[in-house]
Short mmCIF file of all heavy atoms in Angstrom, two decimals:
data_model
loop_
_atom_site.label_atom_id
_atom_site.label_comp_id
_atom_site.label_asym_id
_atom_site.label_seq_id
_atom_site.Cartn_x
_atom_site.Cartn_y
_atom_site.Cartn_z
N MET A 13 -12.06 -71.43 65.58
CA MET A 13 -11.32 -70.27 65.26
C MET A 13 -11.13 -70.18 63.75
O MET A 13 -10.76 -71.19 63.15
CB MET A 13 -10.04 -70.29 66.08
CG MET A 13 -9.12 -69.17 65.65
SD MET A 13 -7.65 -69.20 66.83
CE MET A 13 -6.47 -69.12 65.66
N LYS A 14 -11.34 -69.01 63.19
CA LYS A 14 -11.13 -68.87 61.76
C LYS A 14 -9.76 -68.16 61.51
O LYS A 14 -9.44 -67.24 62.24
CB LYS A 14 -12.22 -68.04 61.15
CG LYS A 14 -13.54 -68.80 61.16
CD LYS A 14 -14.63 -68.07 60.37
CE LYS A 14 -15.92 -68.86 60.52
NZ LYS A 14 -16.75 -68.60 59.44
N GLU A 15 -8.99 -68.74 60.56
CA GLU A 15 -7.70 -68.25 60.25
C GLU A 15 -7.67 -67.81 58.79
O GLU A 15 -8.15 -68.51 57.96
CB GLU A 15 -6.71 -69.34 60.52
CG GLU A 15 -5.35 -68.97 60.34
CD GLU A 15 -4.36 -70.15 60.63
OE1 GLU A 15 -4.26 -70.52 61.82
OE2 GLU A 15 -3.78 -70.71 59.67
N VAL A 16 -7.17 -66.52 58.55
CA VAL A 16 -6.98 -66.08 57.10
C VAL A 16 -5.95 -66.86 56.50
O VAL A 16 -4.81 -66.83 56.92
CB VAL A 16 -6.79 -64.58 57.13
CG1 VAL A 16 -6.55 -64.09 55.70
CG2 VAL A 16 -7.97 -63.78 57.76
N ILE A 17 -6.26 -67.52 55.35
CA ILE A 17 -5.27 -68.29 54.73
C ILE A 17 -4.84 -67.67 53.36
O ILE A 17 -3.80 -68.10 52.75
CB ILE A 17 -5.69 -69.78 54.53
CG1 ILE A 17 -6.93 -69.83 53.75
CG2 ILE A 17 -5.80 -70.49 55.77
CD1 ILE A 17 -7.39 -71.28 53.33
N GLU A 18 -5.60 -66.72 52.92
CA GLU A 18 -5.27 -66.01 51.62
C GLU A 18 -5.94 -64.71 51.62
O GLU A 18 -7.17 -64.57 52.25
CB GLU A 18 -5.70 -66.76 50.41
CG GLU A 18 -5.29 -66.22 49.12
CD GLU A 18 -5.69 -67.22 47.94
OE1 GLU A 18 -6.29 -68.26 48.14
OE2 GLU A 18 -5.52 -66.75 46.82
N ARG A 19 -5.38 -63.65 51.01
CA ARG A 19 -5.95 -62.34 50.92
C ARG A 19 -5.76 -61.93 49.44
O ARG A 19 -4.62 -62.03 49.00
CB ARG A 19 -5.33 -61.43 51.92
CG ARG A 19 -5.98 -60.02 51.89
CD ARG A 19 -5.24 -59.04 52.90
NE ARG A 19 -6.20 -58.11 53.19
CZ ARG A 19 -6.53 -57.82 54.43
NH1 ARG A 19 -6.04 -58.37 55.46
NH2 ARG A 19 -7.38 -56.90 54.65
N PHE A 20 -6.80 -61.43 48.75
CA PHE A 20 -6.69 -61.02 47.39
C PHE A 20 -7.72 -59.94 47.10
O PHE A 20 -8.59 -59.61 47.81
CB PHE A 20 -6.79 -62.22 46.41
CG PHE A 20 -8.08 -63.06 46.54
CD1 PHE A 20 -9.15 -62.79 45.82
CD2 PHE A 20 -8.08 -64.09 47.49
CE1 PHE A 20 -10.28 -63.46 46.03
CE2 PHE A 20 -9.13 -64.93 47.65
CZ PHE A 20 -10.32 -64.58 46.88
N THR A 21 -7.57 -59.36 45.88
CA THR A 21 -8.46 -58.29 45.44
C THR A 21 -9.33 -58.75 44.33
O THR A 21 -8.96 -59.54 43.47
CB THR A 21 -7.61 -57.08 44.90
OG1 THR A 21 -6.68 -56.66 45.96
CG2 THR A 21 -8.48 -55.91 44.56
N CYS A 22 -10.63 -58.30 44.44
CA CYS A 22 -11.57 -58.57 43.31
C CYS A 22 -12.07 -57.27 42.82
O CYS A 22 -11.94 -56.18 43.43
CB CYS A 22 -12.77 -59.33 43.83
SG CYS A 22 -12.45 -61.10 44.15
N ARG A 23 -12.73 -57.24 41.60
CA ARG A 23 -13.32 -56.03 41.06
C ARG A 23 -14.72 -56.40 40.53
O ARG A 23 -14.89 -57.46 39.99
CB ARG A 23 -12.37 -55.70 39.91
CG ARG A 23 -12.72 -54.35 39.29
CD ARG A 23 -11.82 -53.98 38.14
NE ARG A 23 -10.48 -53.66 38.77
CZ ARG A 23 -9.42 -53.53 38.06
NH1 ARG A 23 -9.34 -53.72 36.75
NH2 ARG A 23 -8.23 -53.23 38.70
N ASP A 24 -15.60 -55.43 40.58
CA ASP A 24 -16.90 -55.53 40.00
C ASP A 24 -16.94 -54.92 38.65
O ASP A 24 -15.85 -54.39 38.09
CB ASP A 24 -18.05 -54.97 40.91
CG ASP A 24 -17.98 -53.44 41.09
OD1 ASP A 24 -17.29 -52.77 40.19
OD2 ASP A 24 -18.52 -52.88 41.98
N ASP A 25 -18.05 -55.02 37.90
CA ASP A 25 -18.21 -54.52 36.49
C ASP A 25 -17.96 -53.03 36.39
O ASP A 25 -17.71 -52.58 35.30
CB ASP A 25 -19.52 -54.91 35.91
CG ASP A 25 -19.61 -56.50 35.68
OD1 ASP A 25 -18.57 -57.10 35.57
OD2 ASP A 25 -20.78 -56.97 35.65
N ASP A 26 -18.21 -52.33 37.52
CA ASP A 26 -18.03 -50.88 37.53
C ASP A 26 -16.55 -50.41 37.85
O ASP A 26 -16.23 -49.26 37.85
CB ASP A 26 -18.98 -50.22 38.54
CG ASP A 26 -20.44 -50.50 38.21
OD1 ASP A 26 -20.76 -50.52 36.96
OD2 ASP A 26 -21.28 -50.51 39.12
N GLY A 27 -15.71 -51.43 38.13
CA GLY A 27 -14.29 -51.08 38.38
C GLY A 27 -14.01 -50.90 39.79
O GLY A 27 -12.85 -50.73 40.21
N GLN A 28 -14.97 -51.03 40.74
CA GLN A 28 -14.68 -50.88 42.12
C GLN A 28 -13.94 -52.12 42.66
O GLN A 28 -14.28 -53.21 42.25
CB GLN A 28 -16.03 -50.71 42.91
CG GLN A 28 -15.80 -50.47 44.34
CD GLN A 28 -17.08 -50.15 45.11
OE1 GLN A 28 -18.08 -49.85 44.60
NE2 GLN A 28 -17.04 -50.25 46.46
N THR A 29 -12.97 -51.92 43.54
CA THR A 29 -12.22 -53.07 44.06
C THR A 29 -12.64 -53.46 45.48
O THR A 29 -13.16 -52.59 46.18
CB THR A 29 -10.72 -52.70 44.08
OG1 THR A 29 -10.47 -51.59 44.89
CG2 THR A 29 -10.15 -52.45 42.65
N TYR A 30 -12.41 -54.72 45.80
CA TYR A 30 -12.84 -55.26 47.03
C TYR A 30 -11.72 -56.12 47.54
O TYR A 30 -11.12 -56.96 46.82
CB TYR A 30 -14.12 -56.16 46.91
CG TYR A 30 -15.29 -55.42 46.34
CD1 TYR A 30 -15.46 -55.19 44.97
CD2 TYR A 30 -16.26 -54.95 47.12
CE1 TYR A 30 -16.47 -54.50 44.42
CE2 TYR A 30 -17.42 -54.30 46.71
CZ TYR A 30 -17.52 -54.11 45.31
OH TYR A 30 -18.60 -53.38 44.82
N ASP A 31 -11.41 -56.04 48.84
CA ASP A 31 -10.47 -56.90 49.48
C ASP A 31 -11.18 -58.15 50.05
O ASP A 31 -12.13 -57.96 50.79
CB ASP A 31 -9.74 -56.18 50.68
CG ASP A 31 -8.82 -55.04 50.22
OD1 ASP A 31 -8.18 -55.25 49.12
OD2 ASP A 31 -8.82 -54.07 50.89
N VAL A 32 -10.80 -59.32 49.62
CA VAL A 32 -11.34 -60.53 49.99
C VAL A 32 -10.49 -61.37 50.83
O VAL A 32 -9.22 -61.41 50.64
CB VAL A 32 -11.75 -61.40 48.64
CG1 VAL A 32 -12.26 -62.75 49.07
CG2 VAL A 32 -12.72 -60.57 47.81
N LEU A 33 -11.02 -62.01 51.90
CA LEU A 33 -10.32 -62.80 52.81
C LEU A 33 -10.81 -64.28 52.58
O LEU A 33 -12.02 -64.52 52.65
CB LEU A 33 -10.41 -62.43 54.25
CG LEU A 33 -10.17 -60.96 54.57
CD1 LEU A 33 -10.65 -60.71 56.06
CD2 LEU A 33 -8.80 -60.65 54.32
N LYS A 34 -9.87 -65.21 52.40
CA LYS A 34 -10.26 -66.59 52.36
C LYS A 34 -9.89 -67.15 53.76
O LYS A 34 -8.71 -67.08 54.19
CB LYS A 34 -9.41 -67.39 51.32
CG LYS A 34 -9.79 -68.79 51.17
CD LYS A 34 -8.92 -69.49 50.03
CE LYS A 34 -9.28 -70.92 49.85
NZ LYS A 34 -8.52 -71.52 48.81
N ARG A 35 -10.90 -67.68 54.45
CA ARG A 35 -10.66 -68.14 55.83
C ARG A 35 -10.95 -69.60 55.97
O ARG A 35 -11.70 -70.12 55.27
CB ARG A 35 -11.52 -67.40 56.83
CG ARG A 35 -11.56 -65.81 56.67
CD ARG A 35 -12.40 -65.19 57.66
NE ARG A 35 -13.84 -65.62 57.61
CZ ARG A 35 -14.78 -65.13 58.36
NH1 ARG A 35 -14.52 -64.18 59.24
NH2 ARG A 35 -16.02 -65.62 58.20
N GLN A 36 -10.27 -70.16 56.91
CA GLN A 36 -10.44 -71.61 57.24
C GLN A 36 -10.67 -71.83 58.75
O GLN A 36 -9.96 -71.22 59.55
CB GLN A 36 -9.25 -72.46 56.77
CG GLN A 36 -9.43 -73.95 56.92
CD GLN A 36 -8.49 -74.72 56.11
OE1 GLN A 36 -7.28 -74.36 56.01
NE2 GLN A 36 -8.93 -75.82 55.53
N ASN A 37 -11.68 -72.62 59.06
CA ASN A 37 -11.94 -72.97 60.46
C ASN A 37 -10.79 -73.87 60.89
O ASN A 37 -10.46 -74.84 60.21
CB ASN A 37 -13.28 -73.71 60.62
CG ASN A 37 -14.40 -72.74 60.53
OD1 ASN A 37 -14.43 -71.60 61.08
ND2 ASN A 37 -15.52 -73.19 59.90
N ILE A 38 -10.28 -73.55 62.03
CA ILE A 38 -9.24 -74.35 62.66
C ILE A 38 -9.66 -74.84 64.07
O ILE A 38 -10.03 -73.98 64.83
CB ILE A 38 -7.83 -73.60 62.72
CG1 ILE A 38 -7.42 -73.08 61.40
CG2 ILE A 38 -6.80 -74.46 63.32
CD1 ILE A 38 -6.98 -74.04 60.41
N SER A 39 -9.58 -76.13 64.31
CA SER A 39 -9.92 -76.61 65.66
C SER A 39 -8.68 -77.26 66.25
O SER A 39 -7.78 -77.80 65.51
CB SER A 39 -11.04 -77.73 65.54
OG SER A 39 -12.14 -77.16 65.01
N THR A 40 -8.57 -77.20 67.51
CA THR A 40 -7.49 -77.86 68.23
C THR A 40 -8.03 -79.13 68.84
O THR A 40 -9.07 -79.15 69.49
CB THR A 40 -6.92 -76.89 69.34
OG1 THR A 40 -6.52 -75.79 68.74
CG2 THR A 40 -5.78 -77.64 70.03
N TYR A 41 -7.35 -80.19 68.45
CA TYR A 41 -7.66 -81.53 68.98
C TYR A 41 -6.69 -82.04 70.04
O TYR A 41 -5.50 -82.00 69.71
CB TYR A 41 -7.80 -82.55 67.76
CG TYR A 41 -7.86 -83.97 68.14
CD1 TYR A 41 -9.00 -84.53 68.66
CD2 TYR A 41 -6.76 -84.81 67.90
CE1 TYR A 41 -9.07 -85.88 69.08
CE2 TYR A 41 -6.82 -86.14 68.14
CZ TYR A 41 -7.95 -86.66 68.83
OH TYR A 41 -7.95 -87.97 69.12
N GLN A 42 -7.08 -82.35 71.17
CA GLN A 42 -6.19 -82.85 72.14
C GLN A 42 -6.45 -84.34 72.36
O GLN A 42 -7.34 -84.79 72.97
CB GLN A 42 -6.52 -82.12 73.54
CG GLN A 42 -5.56 -82.60 74.66
CD GLN A 42 -4.14 -82.28 74.44
OE1 GLN A 42 -3.74 -81.25 74.22
NE2 GLN A 42 -3.30 -83.32 74.50
N PRO A 43 -5.51 -85.10 71.81
CA PRO A 43 -5.59 -86.59 72.06
C PRO A 43 -5.21 -86.96 73.45
O PRO A 43 -4.74 -86.12 74.25
CB PRO A 43 -4.58 -87.25 71.08
CG PRO A 43 -3.62 -86.09 70.84
CD PRO A 43 -4.34 -84.79 70.99
N ILE A 44 -5.62 -88.16 73.86
CA ILE A 44 -5.42 -88.63 75.24
C ILE A 44 -3.90 -88.55 75.55
O ILE A 44 -3.50 -88.11 76.63
CB ILE A 44 -6.01 -90.10 75.49
CG1 ILE A 44 -7.49 -89.96 75.34
CG2 ILE A 44 -5.46 -90.59 76.88
CD1 ILE A 44 -8.14 -91.33 75.44
N SER A 45 -3.08 -88.90 74.66
CA SER A 45 -1.65 -88.72 74.87
C SER A 45 -1.05 -88.08 73.59
O SER A 45 -1.59 -88.24 72.52
CB SER A 45 -1.08 -90.12 75.07
OG SER A 45 -1.15 -90.95 73.91
N GLY A 46 -0.09 -87.31 73.84
CA GLY A 46 0.64 -86.68 72.71
C GLY A 46 0.22 -85.13 72.73
O GLY A 46 -0.65 -84.74 73.49
N PRO A 47 0.88 -84.38 71.88
CA PRO A 47 0.62 -82.93 71.80
C PRO A 47 -0.70 -82.68 71.19
O PRO A 47 -1.28 -83.43 70.42
CB PRO A 47 1.82 -82.42 70.95
CG PRO A 47 2.16 -83.61 70.10
CD PRO A 47 1.95 -84.87 70.92
N PRO A 48 -1.25 -81.41 71.42
CA PRO A 48 -2.46 -80.97 70.63
C PRO A 48 -2.20 -80.98 69.20
O PRO A 48 -1.06 -80.72 68.83
CB PRO A 48 -2.74 -79.66 71.26
CG PRO A 48 -1.76 -79.38 72.35
CD PRO A 48 -0.72 -80.40 72.29
N ARG A 49 -3.24 -81.13 68.37
CA ARG A 49 -3.08 -81.04 66.95
C ARG A 49 -4.08 -80.07 66.41
O ARG A 49 -5.18 -79.95 66.92
CB ARG A 49 -3.29 -82.38 66.35
CG ARG A 49 -2.39 -83.43 66.70
CD ARG A 49 -2.67 -84.74 66.06
NE ARG A 49 -1.76 -85.80 66.59
CZ ARG A 49 -1.87 -87.04 66.38
NH1 ARG A 49 -2.89 -87.50 65.65
NH2 ARG A 49 -1.07 -87.94 66.91
N ARG A 50 -3.75 -79.40 65.38
CA ARG A 50 -4.65 -78.43 64.63
C ARG A 50 -5.31 -79.20 63.56
O ARG A 50 -4.69 -79.85 62.75
CB ARG A 50 -3.87 -77.24 64.17
CG ARG A 50 -3.35 -76.28 65.28
CD ARG A 50 -2.34 -75.29 64.72
NE ARG A 50 -2.71 -74.67 63.53
CZ ARG A 50 -3.20 -73.50 63.44
NH1 ARG A 50 -3.50 -72.70 64.45
NH2 ARG A 50 -3.43 -72.93 62.18
N VAL A 51 -6.62 -79.04 63.50
CA VAL A 51 -7.40 -79.77 62.46
C VAL A 51 -8.10 -78.71 61.60
O VAL A 51 -8.79 -77.83 62.11
CB VAL A 51 -8.51 -80.67 63.14
CG1 VAL A 51 -9.37 -81.37 62.07
CG2 VAL A 51 -7.85 -81.69 64.10
N LYS A 52 -7.80 -78.79 60.32
CA LYS A 52 -8.36 -77.88 59.36
C LYS A 52 -9.89 -78.25 59.06
O LYS A 52 -10.15 -79.42 58.81
CB LYS A 52 -7.55 -77.78 58.04
CG LYS A 52 -6.19 -77.32 58.30
CD LYS A 52 -5.37 -77.39 57.01
CE LYS A 52 -3.93 -76.85 57.26
NZ LYS A 52 -3.19 -76.89 56.01
N GLY A 53 -10.68 -77.19 58.90
CA GLY A 53 -12.06 -77.40 58.72
C GLY A 53 -12.52 -76.68 57.39
O GLY A 53 -11.77 -76.53 56.47
N THR A 54 -13.76 -76.20 57.36
CA THR A 54 -14.37 -75.62 56.20
C THR A 54 -13.73 -74.26 55.90
O THR A 54 -13.10 -73.61 56.75
CB THR A 54 -15.90 -75.39 56.39
OG1 THR A 54 -16.03 -74.62 57.55
CG2 THR A 54 -16.58 -76.71 56.56
N ILE A 55 -13.87 -73.93 54.65
CA ILE A 55 -13.39 -72.53 54.20
C ILE A 55 -14.55 -71.68 53.77
O ILE A 55 -15.55 -72.17 53.31
CB ILE A 55 -12.53 -72.84 52.95
CG1 ILE A 55 -11.21 -73.61 53.35
CG2 ILE A 55 -12.16 -71.56 52.17
CD1 ILE A 55 -10.26 -73.99 52.16
N ASP A 56 -14.35 -70.37 54.12
CA ASP A 56 -15.36 -69.39 53.66
C ASP A 56 -14.67 -68.14 53.20
O ASP A 56 -13.42 -68.07 53.26
CB ASP A 56 -16.41 -69.06 54.72
CG ASP A 56 -15.85 -68.31 55.87
OD1 ASP A 56 -14.59 -68.07 55.98
OD2 ASP A 56 -16.59 -67.88 56.77
N PHE A 57 -15.40 -67.34 52.52
CA PHE A 57 -14.87 -66.03 51.95
C PHE A 57 -15.69 -64.90 52.44
O PHE A 57 -16.91 -64.98 52.50
CB PHE A 57 -14.92 -66.09 50.41
CG PHE A 57 -14.13 -67.12 49.76
CD1 PHE A 57 -14.64 -68.44 49.59
CD2 PHE A 57 -12.80 -66.84 49.36
CE1 PHE A 57 -13.84 -69.43 48.96
CE2 PHE A 57 -12.04 -67.84 48.76
CZ PHE A 57 -12.59 -69.09 48.63
N VAL A 58 -15.01 -63.87 52.91
CA VAL A 58 -15.62 -62.60 53.31
C VAL A 58 -14.87 -61.40 52.76
O VAL A 58 -13.70 -61.57 52.44
CB VAL A 58 -15.72 -62.49 54.86
CG1 VAL A 58 -16.61 -63.51 55.42
CG2 VAL A 58 -14.33 -62.43 55.50
N LEU A 59 -15.55 -60.32 52.64
CA LEU A 59 -14.86 -59.00 52.36
C LEU A 59 -14.19 -58.52 53.62
O LEU A 59 -14.59 -58.94 54.70
CB LEU A 59 -15.84 -57.97 51.85
CG LEU A 59 -16.63 -58.29 50.49
CD1 LEU A 59 -17.61 -57.22 50.22
CD2 LEU A 59 -15.64 -58.47 49.37
N SER A 60 -13.26 -57.58 53.43
CA SER A 60 -12.59 -57.00 54.57
C SER A 60 -13.54 -56.34 55.60
O SER A 60 -13.22 -56.23 56.69
CB SER A 60 -11.44 -56.20 54.13
OG SER A 60 -11.93 -55.12 53.39
N ASN A 61 -14.63 -55.96 55.10
CA ASN A 61 -15.66 -55.28 55.96
C ASN A 61 -16.53 -56.33 56.69
O ASN A 61 -17.59 -55.84 57.33
CB ASN A 61 -16.46 -54.22 55.28
CG ASN A 61 -17.40 -54.82 54.23
OD1 ASN A 61 -17.52 -56.06 53.99
ND2 ASN A 61 -17.92 -53.98 53.41
N GLY A 62 -16.39 -57.55 56.43
CA GLY A 62 -17.16 -58.65 57.04
C GLY A 62 -18.37 -59.14 56.26
O GLY A 62 -18.98 -60.12 56.68
N MET A 63 -18.64 -58.54 55.08
CA MET A 63 -19.71 -59.11 54.25
C MET A 63 -19.40 -60.42 53.80
O MET A 63 -18.28 -60.67 53.23
CB MET A 63 -20.14 -58.13 53.20
CG MET A 63 -20.67 -56.73 53.69
SD MET A 63 -21.00 -55.60 52.45
CE MET A 63 -22.71 -56.09 52.05
N HIS A 64 -20.35 -61.32 53.77
CA HIS A 64 -20.04 -62.73 53.33
C HIS A 64 -20.21 -62.82 51.75
O HIS A 64 -20.93 -62.19 51.14
CB HIS A 64 -21.08 -63.71 53.98
CG HIS A 64 -20.80 -63.78 55.46
ND1 HIS A 64 -19.95 -64.68 55.99
CD2 HIS A 64 -21.39 -63.11 56.45
CE1 HIS A 64 -19.99 -64.53 57.30
NE2 HIS A 64 -20.76 -63.55 57.64
N LEU A 65 -19.44 -63.82 51.25
CA LEU A 65 -19.39 -64.07 49.82
C LEU A 65 -19.74 -65.57 49.49
O LEU A 65 -19.48 -66.46 50.32
CB LEU A 65 -17.99 -63.83 49.23
CG LEU A 65 -17.43 -62.47 49.42
CD1 LEU A 65 -15.94 -62.36 48.94
CD2 LEU A 65 -18.25 -61.40 48.60
N ASN A 66 -20.43 -65.76 48.39
CA ASN A 66 -20.59 -67.11 47.83
C ASN A 66 -19.55 -67.21 46.75
O ASN A 66 -19.48 -66.34 45.91
CB ASN A 66 -21.97 -67.34 47.31
CG ASN A 66 -22.97 -67.52 48.42
OD1 ASN A 66 -22.72 -67.96 49.44
ND2 ASN A 66 -24.26 -67.06 48.10
N ALA A 67 -18.86 -68.32 46.64
CA ALA A 67 -17.76 -68.49 45.66
C ALA A 67 -18.15 -69.43 44.54
O ALA A 67 -18.94 -70.32 44.83
CB ALA A 67 -16.56 -68.99 46.39
N SER A 68 -17.68 -69.18 43.35
CA SER A 68 -17.83 -70.11 42.22
C SER A 68 -16.96 -71.36 42.52
O SER A 68 -16.14 -71.29 43.37
CB SER A 68 -17.43 -69.47 40.90
OG SER A 68 -16.04 -69.21 40.87
N ASP A 69 -17.12 -72.44 41.83
CA ASP A 69 -16.39 -73.66 41.95
C ASP A 69 -14.87 -73.43 41.84
O ASP A 69 -14.10 -74.05 42.56
CB ASP A 69 -16.86 -74.68 41.02
CG ASP A 69 -18.21 -75.23 41.34
OD1 ASP A 69 -18.66 -75.10 42.55
OD2 ASP A 69 -18.88 -75.86 40.53
N ASP A 70 -14.46 -72.58 40.89
CA ASP A 70 -13.08 -72.33 40.76
C ASP A 70 -12.50 -71.18 41.59
O ASP A 70 -11.37 -70.78 41.43
CB ASP A 70 -12.71 -72.14 39.29
CG ASP A 70 -13.39 -70.91 38.67
OD1 ASP A 70 -14.12 -70.17 39.36
OD2 ASP A 70 -13.21 -70.67 37.44
N GLU A 71 -13.32 -70.60 42.39
CA GLU A 71 -12.95 -69.51 43.35
C GLU A 71 -12.40 -68.30 42.63
O GLU A 71 -11.44 -67.60 43.09
CB GLU A 71 -11.99 -70.03 44.39
CG GLU A 71 -12.58 -71.09 45.30
CD GLU A 71 -11.62 -71.64 46.31
OE1 GLU A 71 -10.48 -71.19 46.37
OE2 GLU A 71 -12.05 -72.51 47.13
N THR A 72 -12.98 -67.95 41.41
CA THR A 72 -12.56 -66.73 40.71
C THR A 72 -13.75 -65.79 40.64
O THR A 72 -13.44 -64.61 40.38
CB THR A 72 -12.01 -67.04 39.32
OG1 THR A 72 -13.13 -67.71 38.56
CG2 THR A 72 -10.86 -67.94 39.31
N GLU A 73 -14.92 -66.20 40.85
CA GLU A 73 -16.08 -65.30 40.85
C GLU A 73 -16.82 -65.45 42.12
O GLU A 73 -16.95 -66.59 42.73
CB GLU A 73 -16.98 -65.62 39.69
CG GLU A 73 -16.32 -65.38 38.32
CD GLU A 73 -17.28 -65.57 37.18
OE1 GLU A 73 -18.33 -66.23 37.28
OE2 GLU A 73 -17.01 -64.98 36.06
N PHE A 74 -17.31 -64.33 42.67
CA PHE A 74 -18.02 -64.32 43.97
C PHE A 74 -19.22 -63.49 43.93
O PHE A 74 -19.35 -62.57 43.04
CB PHE A 74 -17.06 -63.76 45.04
CG PHE A 74 -15.68 -64.46 45.10
CD1 PHE A 74 -14.71 -64.15 44.34
CD2 PHE A 74 -15.57 -65.51 46.00
CE1 PHE A 74 -13.52 -64.78 44.39
CE2 PHE A 74 -14.41 -66.23 46.16
CZ PHE A 74 -13.36 -65.85 45.30
N THR A 75 -20.22 -63.75 44.70
CA THR A 75 -21.42 -63.03 44.85
C THR A 75 -21.45 -62.47 46.29
O THR A 75 -21.31 -63.27 47.31
CB THR A 75 -22.72 -63.82 44.60
OG1 THR A 75 -22.62 -64.36 43.27
CG2 THR A 75 -23.93 -62.96 44.70
N ILE A 76 -21.63 -61.24 46.52
CA ILE A 76 -21.79 -60.56 47.81
C ILE A 76 -23.17 -60.94 48.32
O ILE A 76 -24.16 -60.54 47.65
CB ILE A 76 -21.47 -59.04 47.86
CG1 ILE A 76 -20.16 -58.78 47.30
CG2 ILE A 76 -21.72 -58.50 49.23
CD1 ILE A 76 -19.82 -57.28 47.02
N VAL A 77 -23.24 -61.70 49.32
CA VAL A 77 -24.55 -62.25 49.82
C VAL A 77 -25.56 -61.10 50.11
O VAL A 77 -26.75 -61.17 49.68
CB VAL A 77 -24.39 -63.15 51.11
CG1 VAL A 77 -25.71 -63.50 51.65
CG2 VAL A 77 -23.55 -64.35 50.72
N GLN A 78 -25.14 -60.05 50.82
CA GLN A 78 -26.07 -59.11 51.27
C GLN A 78 -26.60 -58.14 50.07
O GLN A 78 -27.65 -57.51 50.25
CB GLN A 78 -25.37 -58.13 52.35
CG GLN A 78 -25.17 -58.83 53.62
CD GLN A 78 -23.83 -59.58 53.71
OE1 GLN A 78 -23.18 -59.98 52.67
NE2 GLN A 78 -23.41 -59.84 54.90
N THR A 79 -25.85 -58.00 48.96
CA THR A 79 -26.23 -57.10 47.95
C THR A 79 -26.46 -57.86 46.57
O THR A 79 -26.94 -57.20 45.65
CB THR A 79 -25.07 -56.04 47.66
OG1 THR A 79 -23.92 -56.77 47.22
CG2 THR A 79 -24.86 -55.28 48.94
N ASP A 80 -26.10 -59.12 46.51
CA ASP A 80 -26.14 -59.91 45.22
C ASP A 80 -25.33 -59.39 44.13
O ASP A 80 -25.48 -59.74 42.97
CB ASP A 80 -27.58 -59.95 44.76
CG ASP A 80 -27.88 -61.22 43.96
OD1 ASP A 80 -27.29 -62.31 44.32
OD2 ASP A 80 -28.67 -61.21 43.01
N LYS A 81 -24.31 -58.45 44.44
CA LYS A 81 -23.40 -58.00 43.44
C LYS A 81 -22.28 -59.03 43.15
O LYS A 81 -21.81 -59.67 43.98
CB LYS A 81 -22.71 -56.75 43.96
CG LYS A 81 -21.80 -56.09 42.95
CD LYS A 81 -21.22 -54.77 43.43
CE LYS A 81 -22.10 -53.64 43.28
NZ LYS A 81 -22.07 -53.03 41.95
N LYS A 82 -21.95 -59.21 41.86
CA LYS A 82 -20.92 -60.15 41.32
C LYS A 82 -19.61 -59.40 41.25
O LYS A 82 -19.48 -58.29 40.81
CB LYS A 82 -21.32 -60.61 39.98
CG LYS A 82 -22.72 -61.18 39.89
CD LYS A 82 -22.73 -62.58 40.17
CE LYS A 82 -24.10 -63.21 39.87
NZ LYS A 82 -24.65 -63.91 40.89
N ILE A 83 -18.64 -60.11 41.82
CA ILE A 83 -17.22 -59.57 41.72
C ILE A 83 -16.31 -60.68 41.23
O ILE A 83 -16.64 -61.86 41.36
CB ILE A 83 -16.72 -58.97 43.10
CG1 ILE A 83 -16.67 -60.05 44.19
CG2 ILE A 83 -17.55 -57.84 43.49
CD1 ILE A 83 -16.13 -59.64 45.52
N ARG A 84 -15.14 -60.28 40.62
CA ARG A 84 -14.22 -61.31 40.03
C ARG A 84 -12.83 -61.05 40.54
O ARG A 84 -12.38 -59.87 40.69
CB ARG A 84 -14.29 -61.13 38.56
CG ARG A 84 -15.54 -61.69 37.95
CD ARG A 84 -15.64 -61.43 36.42
NE ARG A 84 -16.95 -61.71 35.96
CZ ARG A 84 -17.95 -60.89 36.10
NH1 ARG A 84 -17.82 -59.77 36.71
NH2 ARG A 84 -19.15 -61.28 35.61
N LYS A 85 -12.07 -62.06 40.76
CA LYS A 85 -10.71 -62.07 41.11
C LYS A 85 -9.89 -61.56 39.90
O LYS A 85 -10.12 -61.98 38.82
CB LYS A 85 -10.24 -63.48 41.43
CG LYS A 85 -8.92 -63.52 42.23
CD LYS A 85 -8.73 -65.01 42.70
CE LYS A 85 -7.64 -65.22 43.63
NZ LYS A 85 -7.40 -66.47 44.06
N TYR A 86 -8.89 -60.70 40.16
CA TYR A 86 -8.02 -60.25 39.07
C TYR A 86 -6.64 -60.20 39.48
O TYR A 86 -6.26 -60.33 40.64
CB TYR A 86 -8.49 -58.95 38.48
CG TYR A 86 -8.16 -57.74 39.28
CD1 TYR A 86 -7.00 -57.00 39.06
CD2 TYR A 86 -9.06 -57.32 40.32
CE1 TYR A 86 -6.74 -55.90 39.79
CE2 TYR A 86 -8.80 -56.14 41.06
CZ TYR A 86 -7.59 -55.52 40.79
OH TYR A 86 -7.30 -54.37 41.52
#
């Protein structure tokens, strides 16, 4: 299951804004004894419309996979 852990706005060079969701995979682990535990997994970024993003190392610049457009966090 993916859980939204952050939501922020980015802008392209033309001034258009984009709503970005930072999501993390969450798995439930049930040990033999004891309560279930939530295990955090990989993180990905998508636009609010579902288009996928590739993030820079510092997570301030993104490329929209489907269009190759560059957007920046502001």
